[in-house]
Structures are given as C-alpha cells and as structure tokens.
Amino acid sequence: MDAPAHAPAYVPAHDLLADRTAVITAAAGAGIGGATARRFLEEGARVVIGDAHAVRTKQSVAALAEEFGPDRIDGIPCDVTDTARINALFDLAEQRHGHLDIVVNNAGLGGTAELTEMTDAQWDKVVDVTLNGTFRSTREALRRLRAAGREGVIVNNASVLGWRAQAGQAHYAAAKAGVMALTRCAALEAAPHGIRVNAVSPSLALHPHLAKVTSPGLLEELTAREAFGRHAEPWEIANVIVFLASGYSSYMTGETVSVSSQHA
C-alpha cells in the first residue's frame, strides 16, 4: 500500500511554553522560523523575532501582534553575520520581557554549486550565515543566561545533509555538520549551568521561498526520498522544536533529532 501523501491535521496547543521568553532568528515569513514563532505563541511564550529581511520582519510582527496581542510579539531586522545586530536582538528581548529563556537559531543559507566550480565567496557566505551565525547567537545566549543565573534552552536548526551526501551541497552540508558539532560541544559547556542545547535535523520542509529557489525537478527528487511520499509542513518541524524547548525534553542535551521520513 502506498504511503499517504497528505499532511496530518494541525496539532492543537497545550500551553507548553507558558510565560517563557524566546528569541528566534530568521523567523519572518512562511518557513520553519515563522512556523516556530507561531507555535511558540500558541504554546504561551513571549516571542522576539529577528530576520535579515526588514520589511518581512515588520509585516510578520504586525500580523502576529494582531492575532496574539502586541505584548507577546516583537522583532527587529537581524543579520546573523553581524554580532552587533545579534546583541541588539537579545537586548530587545530583555528590555521587553526582563529575561531570556529560549533561543532558536534558525538562520541558514543554502545554494547549489559543484565543488570544482564553487567560489570562495559562495563557500564563505553559506558558512558565515549557517554555521558562524549559529555560533554567534549561541555564544551570546550562553553569556546572558549564565550571567542571569537562569536555566534555559537553545535549539539549533541543522539538516539531514549534516549526515548525508548530496551533490552540489558541500558548503551547506559542511556548515550543517558544523552546527551539529557546535551543538554537542556547547551542550557540555552549558550543562553545569542548567542550560540545554539541542538541534533538529529536517529533510524537506517546503515553503514558498524554498519552492522559489529550487527547481521542480529537484523538489520532485527530494520528495521521492521521503517515506510518507510528501514533504514536511514547516509546522511539523516547529512541533519538534517546541518539544526540545519544553520541559518534556528536560533530560536531553547535545542531541540532534532527525525530523525526516527519508528512506534509510
């Protein structure tokens, strides 16, 4: 029997993040970051988003504020290659809500290029956003959580390409493998302070931006690798991020959780 190719029903909220303050990078729009911001708000959190796209950030904050109230959502443009902008994002969260509880490092940048044709600039840009940006944000989160003496949670967005090979993705795969290693090392350093660091590793979560920059042929090929015969919805990845940010994962740290139905 063929696997179902339809998404399941949207999962109702259970107040898992009530009264917690979260910072989420690359969270404007319809991708995993935007879905995570919405799920966090549905679960009772206060959310501050950052995104490199200023107009999209403003629009996302306005839309979520209308639905969830202006006191629970805010955001500013944030380029994760700029330490000062990352610091400003964390400053906003602390100014608005007094403290920080959760950080989701969602920012990442892809692209396709054969290794022999890849330029230094292409390599550097993908690594700087995807790996170095996660490093910068994780470093700042740990500094602030430790200084405040607060237990907290960091969730990084990795990828199945951190484990598996795909032609044309050397820069992105290397960066995501680095995110996994960073997650493990940061977790050991953070554990004595009651701070947990984990990651999710999605395969194919389709959203309008990804569809715009990916050829139909490649999307069809990637979908064929999924056991369910369909791509993930961004909110399905966000659900696992909620789990890792909540008390239900209290004994997990340094782990990368695959959110994928790819064939073994």
Side-chain angles (χ1 to χ4, degrees), residues 39-75:
R39 291 262 52 177
F40 274 35
L41 288 163
E42 291 170 347
E43 294 291 352
R46 299 174 293 266
V47 176
V48 176
I49 68 171
D51 198 284
H53 301 275
V55 172
R56 202 161 67 192
T57 301
K58 184 176 180 180
Q59 292 172 340
S60 294
V61 169
L64 291 170
E66 184 174 350
E67 185 172 354
F68 295 99
D71 293 338
R72 293 182 54 212
I73 179 68
D74 207 340

Side-chain angles (χ1 to χ4, degrees), residues 1-241:
M1 180 180 295
D2 291 335
H6 57 83
Y10 196 77
V11 179
H14 297 283
D15 217 27
L16 297 180
L17 304 177
D19 298 323
R20 305 189 77 186
T21 298
V23 165
I24 308 173
T25 65
I32 293 172
T36 301
R38 170 172 290 279
R39 291 262 52 177
F40 274 35
L41 288 163
E42 291 170 347
E43 294 291 352
R46 299 174 293 266
V47 176
V48 176
I49 68 171
D51 198 284
H53 301 275
V55 172
R56 202 161 67 192
T57 301
K58 184 176 180 180
Q59 292 172 340
S60 294
V61 169
L64 291 170
E66 184 174 350
E67 185 172 354
F68 295 99
D71 293 338
R72 293 182 54 212
I73 179 68
D74 207 340
I76 56 173
C78 180
D79 179 349
V80 296
T81 68
D82 185 340
T83 298
R85 298 308 303 165
I86 290 174
N87 292 347
L89 181 63
F90 283 99
D91 286 343
L92 176 61
E94 292 181 337
Q95 290 162 6
R96 282 293 306 271
H97 305 297
H99 64 273
L100 182 67
D101 298 296
I102 303 163
V103 174
V104 179
N105 291 314
N106 176 65
L109 180 67
T112 301
E114 292 290 330
L115 194 58
T116 54
E117 305 301 322
M118 189 180 296
T119 65
D120 286 359
Q122 286 175 304
W123 176 277
D124 290 344
K125 187 173 183 180
V126 168
V127 171
D128 199 20
V129 173
T130 306
L131 176 56
N132 297 348
T134 302
F135 151 70
R136 295 182 187 102
S137 182
T138 299
R139 176 180 62 187
E140 189 61 24
L142 290 175
R143 285 173 173 172
R144 296 191 185 222
L145 288 168
R146 288 175 58 172
R150 296 188 65 84
E151 297 184 355
V153 181
I154 298 170
V155 184
N156 297 325
N157 193 356
S159 167
V160 293
L161 291 186
W163 289 311
R164 302 169 188 169
Q166 183 175 317
Q169 296 294 314
H171 46 2
Y172 185 73
K176 289 300 191 179
V179 169
M180 294 177 179
L182 171 64
T183 297
R184 293 190 294 269
C185 294
L188 285 180
E189 296 181 16
H193 305 277
I195 302 165
R196 298 189 296 112
V197 188
N198 291 294
V200 293
S201 179
S203 52
L204 180 62
L206 191 62
H207 52 86
H209 177 69
L210 179 62
K212 188 184 300 184
V213 300
T214 309
S215 71
L218 179 56
L219 286 176
E220 184 177 345
E221 176 189 337
L222 294 174
T223 301
R225 298 180 187 178
E226 300 292 330
F228 290 133
R230 66 173 178 87
H231 60 78
E233 299 296 331
W235 61 263
E236 293 182 282
I237 314 302
N239 284 346
V240 182
I241 295 174

